[in-house]
Amino acid sequence: RRECMGMVARLSVKTMMLISCVLLSLLETAVGMANCRHTFPSGNTFDLTGLHRPRGQRDWYADDRNGNMYYFNMCGDANDVPEACVVLQKAVQAPVFQVTNQSDCFWLGQLRSMEWELIDDSEPNAGVELYYFDGEQCSGGIARDIRIQLFCDPDAGVGKPLDYYVLEEDCHYSITWPSKYGCPVSSGGMFGSGIGGWLWFFVFGFAVYAALGCSYNIAYNRQHFGIEAMPHLEFWKELPGLVMDGIMYSKAKLEEVMNRGKTSYERVDGL
């Protein structure tokens, strides 16, 4: 029996560690998304989280008039290092890569040097610019940098970087991108703004509550892994019935108020 209890305890510890790793991963994702929001001193907030490509998804890309290709991510390093960069032993972590028409490869900035600017300081609705500085040096010793100009266009939806509108001038690059994400939004917290932000906050909070509660019940209350380990299980079982009782009570009260109003109107008509 002691051996079995020891095995259960070890499994419980492993389960808690696994859940903790999952929660830390979720928190890291949330914080990473928060870094893709920026509020200027004027109070205008821009949220580019919808343009960030998570791991496993293809990076954004565009080309210029000379046939050079650009692969990049928003608010994060590129997910894939271009093959030309790997061949040239430039498989570094960087948010933007340029692959030239001669199969040369250059990284154009660093995530730690990301900065935000308004396209027009006097007109925030024009859009926002995301800069990456401290890229690979040019022949003259100047560090490459790139700006991604997101012009406010509510009708464009997500949009896409415009081909042939990528400009290069003295190791400074510029990508043009009309998008709804170039428009300022209302200020919000790390989970975003509006109903969607509150919904994400609730789901994340409930996941933390359920994971920690289940871990505690399995480790200390000797509950079996499953629905039985859910914290406050009886309450959650009764919740649907309580909600239905509340709905029925509210409906009855509403009908009572409406009937009172109808009776009052009938009395006035009787006069």
Side-chain angles (χ1 to χ4, degrees):
R1 182 178 176 84
R2 291 181 178 178
E3 292 180 357
C4 291
M5 294 300 297
M7 291 178 62
V8 171
R10 287 193 294 270
L11 288 174
S12 299
V13 171
K14 291 181 178 180
T15 302
M16 293 177 66
M17 292 178 63
L18 177 60
I19 293 174
S20 299
C21 290
V22 172
L23 292 176
L24 287 174
S25 178
L26 289 172
L27 183 60
E28 180 182 0
T29 300
V31 172
M33 292 177 63
N35 290 336
C36 222
R37 291 176 60 91
H38 182 78
T39 300
F40 289 92
S42 60
N44 293 284
T45 298
F46 292 83
D47 187 353
L48 307 183
T49 56
L51 300 180
H52 174 74
R53 289 292 175 88
R55 293 178 183 177
Q57 290 191 11
R58 185 178 183 183
D59 294 310
W60 296 103
Y61 62 92
D63 60 359
D64 59 24
R65 296 182 182 275
N66 297 320
N68 302 313
M69 294 296 301
Y70 299 82
Y71 304 92
F72 63 97
N73 200 353
M74 301 295 290
C75 312
D77 287 325
N79 294 318
D80 298 311
V81 178
E83 184 62 29
C85 305
V86 176
V87 172
L88 295 174
Q89 297 183 349
K90 293 183 178 182
V92 300
Q93 292 294 318
V96 187
F97 291 94
Q98 179 200 40
V99 177
T100 71
N101 53 18
Q102 302 295 325
S103 296
D104 287 328
C105 173
F106 304 100
W107 46 279
L108 305 184
Q110 298 186 45
L111 184 59
R112 68 186 183 191
S113 301
M114 185 180 78
E115 294 185 10
W116 299 72
E117 295 288 345
L118 291 172
I119 291 178
D120 186 344
D121 291 333
S122 62
E123 183 52 60
N125 287 327
V128 67
E129 299 174 331
L130 199 65
Y131 280 84
Y132 294 118
F133 292 102
D134 299 330
E136 188 173 351
Q137 289 188 351
C138 294
S139 56
I142 301 175
R144 290 175 169 85
D145 62 66
I146 186 168
R147 67 175 178 178
I148 302 171
Q149 290 185 306
L150 291 155
F151 285 89
C152 177
D153 187 351
D155 299 327
V158 174
K160 65 176 184 177
L162 296 179
D163 291 330
Y164 309 125
Y165 278 84
V166 181
L167 304 178
E168 176 184 353
E169 182 179 356
D170 298 331
C171 298
H172 305 293
Y173 303 79
S174 179
I175 295 177
T176 301
W177 189 347
S179 172
K180 67 178 182 179
Y181 289 101
C183 306
V185 299
S186 59
S187 180
M190 68 178 292
F191 295 99
S193 59
I195 296 176
W198 283 107
L199 179 61
W200 165 243
F201 177 81
F202 173 79
V203 172
F204 182 79
F206 183 81
V208 173
Y209 156 80
L212 294 180
C214 288
S215 299
Y216 180 87
N217 286 336
I218 293 172
Y220 298 102
N221 293 334
R222 308 190 189 287
Q223 296 283 353
H224 294 290
F225 186 83
I227 190 65
E228 294 82 5
M230 182 71 182
H232 308 105
L233 179 60
E234 293 301 321
F235 167 77
W236 295 112
K237 286 182 177 180
E238 296 176 0
L239 183 61
L242 295 174
V243 172
M244 288 303 301
D245 290 343
I247 293 174
M248 297 303 296
Y249 177 80
S250 300
K251 181 181 178 182
K253 284 296 183 181
L254 180 60
E255 290 177 349
E256 181 181 341
V257 172
M258 292 179 65
N259 289 333
R260 287 178 183 175
K262 182 178 181 181
T263 303
S264 299
Y265 286 130
E266 289 175 349
R267 290 178 180 175
V268 172
D269 291 341
L271 294 176

Short mmCIF file of all heavy atoms in Angstrom, two decimals, residues 204-228:
data_model
loop_
_atom_site.label_atom_id
_atom_site.label_comp_id
_atom_site.label_asym_id
_atom_site.label_seq_id
_atom_site.Cartn_x
_atom_site.Cartn_y
_atom_site.Cartn_z
N PHE A 204 -8.73 32.38 -19.32
CA PHE A 204 -7.40 32.16 -18.75
C PHE A 204 -7.47 31.99 -17.24
O PHE A 204 -6.85 31.09 -16.66
CB PHE A 204 -6.48 33.33 -19.11
CG PHE A 204 -5.07 33.18 -18.61
CD1 PHE A 204 -4.16 32.38 -19.29
CD2 PHE A 204 -4.64 33.83 -17.46
CE1 PHE A 204 -2.87 32.23 -18.83
CE2 PHE A 204 -3.36 33.69 -16.99
CZ PHE A 204 -2.46 32.88 -17.68
N GLY A 205 -8.26 32.85 -16.58
CA GLY A 205 -8.41 32.75 -15.13
C GLY A 205 -9.05 31.44 -14.70
O GLY A 205 -8.63 30.82 -13.72
N PHE A 206 -10.07 30.99 -15.45
CA PHE A 206 -10.72 29.73 -15.12
C PHE A 206 -9.77 28.55 -15.30
O PHE A 206 -9.78 27.60 -14.52
CB PHE A 206 -11.96 29.53 -15.98
CG PHE A 206 -12.75 28.29 -15.64
CD1 PHE A 206 -13.63 28.29 -14.58
CD2 PHE A 206 -12.58 27.12 -16.38
CE1 PHE A 206 -14.35 27.14 -14.24
CE2 PHE A 206 -13.28 25.97 -16.05
CZ PHE A 206 -14.17 25.98 -14.98
N ALA A 207 -8.92 28.62 -16.34
CA ALA A 207 -7.95 27.54 -16.58
C ALA A 207 -6.96 27.44 -15.43
O ALA A 207 -6.62 26.34 -14.97
CB ALA A 207 -7.22 27.78 -17.90
N VAL A 208 -6.51 28.59 -14.93
CA VAL A 208 -5.59 28.59 -13.79
C VAL A 208 -6.28 28.01 -12.55
O VAL A 208 -5.71 27.17 -11.83
CB VAL A 208 -5.09 30.02 -13.50
CG1 VAL A 208 -4.27 30.06 -12.21
CG2 VAL A 208 -4.26 30.53 -14.67
N TYR A 209 -7.52 28.46 -12.30
CA TYR A 209 -8.29 27.98 -11.15
C TYR A 209 -8.48 26.46 -11.22
O TYR A 209 -8.27 25.74 -10.23
CB TYR A 209 -9.63 28.71 -11.12
CG TYR A 209 -10.74 27.97 -10.40
CD1 TYR A 209 -10.82 27.98 -9.01
CD2 TYR A 209 -11.72 27.28 -11.11
CE1 TYR A 209 -11.84 27.30 -8.35
CE2 TYR A 209 -12.74 26.60 -10.47
CZ TYR A 209 -12.80 26.62 -9.09
OH TYR A 209 -13.81 25.95 -8.45
N ALA A 210 -8.90 25.96 -12.39
CA ALA A 210 -9.18 24.53 -12.53
C ALA A 210 -7.90 23.71 -12.40
O ALA A 210 -7.87 22.66 -11.74
CB ALA A 210 -9.85 24.25 -13.87
N ALA A 211 -6.80 24.17 -13.02
CA ALA A 211 -5.55 23.41 -12.99
C ALA A 211 -4.98 23.32 -11.58
O ALA A 211 -4.60 22.24 -11.12
CB ALA A 211 -4.54 24.06 -13.94
N LEU A 212 -4.94 24.45 -10.89
CA LEU A 212 -4.40 24.43 -9.53
C LEU A 212 -5.30 23.65 -8.58
O LEU A 212 -4.82 22.91 -7.72
CB LEU A 212 -4.21 25.87 -9.04
CG LEU A 212 -3.16 26.70 -9.78
CD1 LEU A 212 -3.09 28.10 -9.20
CD2 LEU A 212 -1.79 26.04 -9.72
N GLY A 213 -6.62 23.82 -8.74
CA GLY A 213 -7.55 23.10 -7.88
C GLY A 213 -7.47 21.60 -8.08
O GLY A 213 -7.46 20.83 -7.10
N CYS A 214 -7.42 21.16 -9.33
CA CYS A 214 -7.30 19.73 -9.62
C CYS A 214 -5.99 19.17 -9.07
O CYS A 214 -5.96 18.07 -8.50
CB CYS A 214 -7.40 19.48 -11.12
SG CYS A 214 -9.05 19.71 -11.82
N SER A 215 -4.91 19.91 -9.24
CA SER A 215 -3.61 19.44 -8.75
C SER A 215 -3.64 19.28 -7.23
O SER A 215 -3.13 18.30 -6.68
CB SER A 215 -2.52 20.44 -9.14
OG SER A 215 -2.43 20.55 -10.54
N TYR A 216 -4.25 20.24 -6.54
CA TYR A 216 -4.32 20.17 -5.08
C TYR A 216 -5.15 18.96 -4.64
O TYR A 216 -4.76 18.23 -3.73
CB TYR A 216 -4.92 21.46 -4.54
CG TYR A 216 -5.03 21.48 -3.04
CD1 TYR A 216 -3.96 21.91 -2.25
CD2 TYR A 216 -6.21 21.07 -2.40
CE1 TYR A 216 -4.06 21.92 -0.87
CE2 TYR A 216 -6.31 21.08 -1.02
CZ TYR A 216 -5.23 21.50 -0.25
OH TYR A 216 -5.33 21.50 1.11
N ASN A 217 -6.31 18.76 -5.29
CA ASN A 217 -7.18 17.64 -4.90
C ASN A 217 -6.52 16.29 -5.16
O ASN A 217 -6.69 15.34 -4.39
CB ASN A 217 -8.51 17.73 -5.64
CG ASN A 217 -9.40 18.83 -5.09
OD1 ASN A 217 -9.26 19.22 -3.94
ND2 ASN A 217 -10.29 19.35 -5.93
N ILE A 218 -5.76 16.18 -6.26
CA ILE A 218 -5.09 14.93 -6.57
C ILE A 218 -3.94 14.66 -5.60
O ILE A 218 -3.75 13.54 -5.11
CB ILE A 218 -4.57 14.95 -8.03
CG1 ILE A 218 -5.74 14.96 -9.01
CG2 ILE A 218 -3.67 13.75 -8.30
CD1 ILE A 218 -5.33 15.17 -10.46
N ALA A 219 -3.18 15.72 -5.27
CA ALA A 219 -2.00 15.55 -4.43
C ALA A 219 -2.33 15.37 -2.96
O ALA A 219 -1.71 14.56 -2.27
CB ALA A 219 -1.07 16.75 -4.61
N TYR A 220 -3.32 16.11 -2.45
CA TYR A 220 -3.56 16.14 -1.01
C TYR A 220 -4.89 15.52 -0.58
O TYR A 220 -5.01 15.05 0.54
CB TYR A 220 -3.49 17.59 -0.50
CG TYR A 220 -2.14 18.20 -0.72
CD1 TYR A 220 -1.91 19.09 -1.77
CD2 TYR A 220 -1.05 17.90 0.12
CE1 TYR A 220 -0.66 19.67 -1.98
CE2 TYR A 220 0.19 18.46 -0.08
CZ TYR A 220 0.38 19.34 -1.14
OH TYR A 220 1.61 19.88 -1.34
N ASN A 221 -5.89 15.55 -1.46
CA ASN A 221 -7.19 14.96 -1.10
C ASN A 221 -7.39 13.58 -1.72
O ASN A 221 -8.47 13.02 -1.63
CB ASN A 221 -8.32 15.89 -1.54
CG ASN A 221 -8.32 17.19 -0.75
OD1 ASN A 221 -7.84 17.23 0.38
ND2 ASN A 221 -8.85 18.25 -1.35
N ARG A 222 -6.33 13.08 -2.38
CA ARG A 222 -6.31 11.74 -2.94
C ARG A 222 -7.48 11.49 -3.91
O ARG A 222 -8.05 10.41 -3.95
CB ARG A 222 -6.33 10.69 -1.82
CG ARG A 222 -5.24 10.92 -0.77
CD ARG A 222 -5.13 9.75 0.17
NE ARG A 222 -4.24 10.04 1.29
CZ ARG A 222 -2.93 10.12 1.23
NH1 ARG A 222 -2.33 9.93 0.07
NH2 ARG A 222 -2.21 10.39 2.30
N GLN A 223 -7.82 12.52 -4.67
CA GLN A 223 -8.85 12.37 -5.68
C GLN A 223 -8.26 11.72 -6.92
O GLN A 223 -7.07 11.88 -7.22
CB GLN A 223 -9.44 13.73 -6.05
CG GLN A 223 -10.17 14.43 -4.92
CD GLN A 223 -11.54 13.85 -4.68
OE1 GLN A 223 -12.00 13.00 -5.44
NE2 GLN A 223 -12.20 14.30 -3.62
N HIS A 224 -9.07 10.95 -7.65
CA HIS A 224 -8.62 10.35 -8.89
C HIS A 224 -8.57 11.41 -9.99
O HIS A 224 -9.35 12.38 -9.99
CB HIS A 224 -9.55 9.21 -9.31
CG HIS A 224 -9.52 8.05 -8.36
ND1 HIS A 224 -8.43 7.21 -8.23
CD2 HIS A 224 -10.46 7.59 -7.49
CE1 HIS A 224 -8.69 6.29 -7.32
NE2 HIS A 224 -9.92 6.49 -6.86
N PHE A 225 -7.65 11.20 -10.93
CA PHE A 225 -7.54 12.15 -12.04
C PHE A 225 -8.81 12.07 -12.89
O PHE A 225 -9.22 11.00 -13.32
CB PHE A 225 -6.31 11.82 -12.89
CG PHE A 225 -6.06 12.82 -13.97
CD1 PHE A 225 -5.37 13.99 -13.70
CD2 PHE A 225 -6.52 12.61 -15.26
CE1 PHE A 225 -5.14 14.93 -14.69
CE2 PHE A 225 -6.29 13.54 -16.26
CZ PHE A 225 -5.60 14.70 -15.97
N GLY A 226 -9.45 13.20 -13.10
CA GLY A 226 -10.70 13.23 -13.87
C GLY A 226 -11.61 14.31 -13.34
O GLY A 226 -11.19 15.21 -12.58
N ILE A 227 -12.89 14.23 -13.70
CA ILE A 227 -13.84 15.26 -13.30
C ILE A 227 -14.00 15.33 -11.79
O ILE A 227 -14.32 16.38 -11.23
CB ILE A 227 -15.21 15.00 -13.99
CG1 ILE A 227 -16.14 16.20 -13.78
CG2 ILE A 227 -15.84 13.72 -13.45
CD1 ILE A 227 -15.67 17.46 -14.45
N GLU A 228 -13.75 14.18 -11.10
CA GLU A 228 -13.91 14.17 -9.66
C GLU A 228 -12.93 15.10 -8.95
O GLU A 228 -13.16 15.53 -7.81
CB GLU A 228 -13.73 12.74 -9.11
CG GLU A 228 -14.80 11.75 -9.54
CD GLU A 228 -14.54 11.20 -10.94
OE1 GLU A 228 -13.47 11.53 -11.50
OE2 GLU A 228 -15.39 10.45 -11.45
#
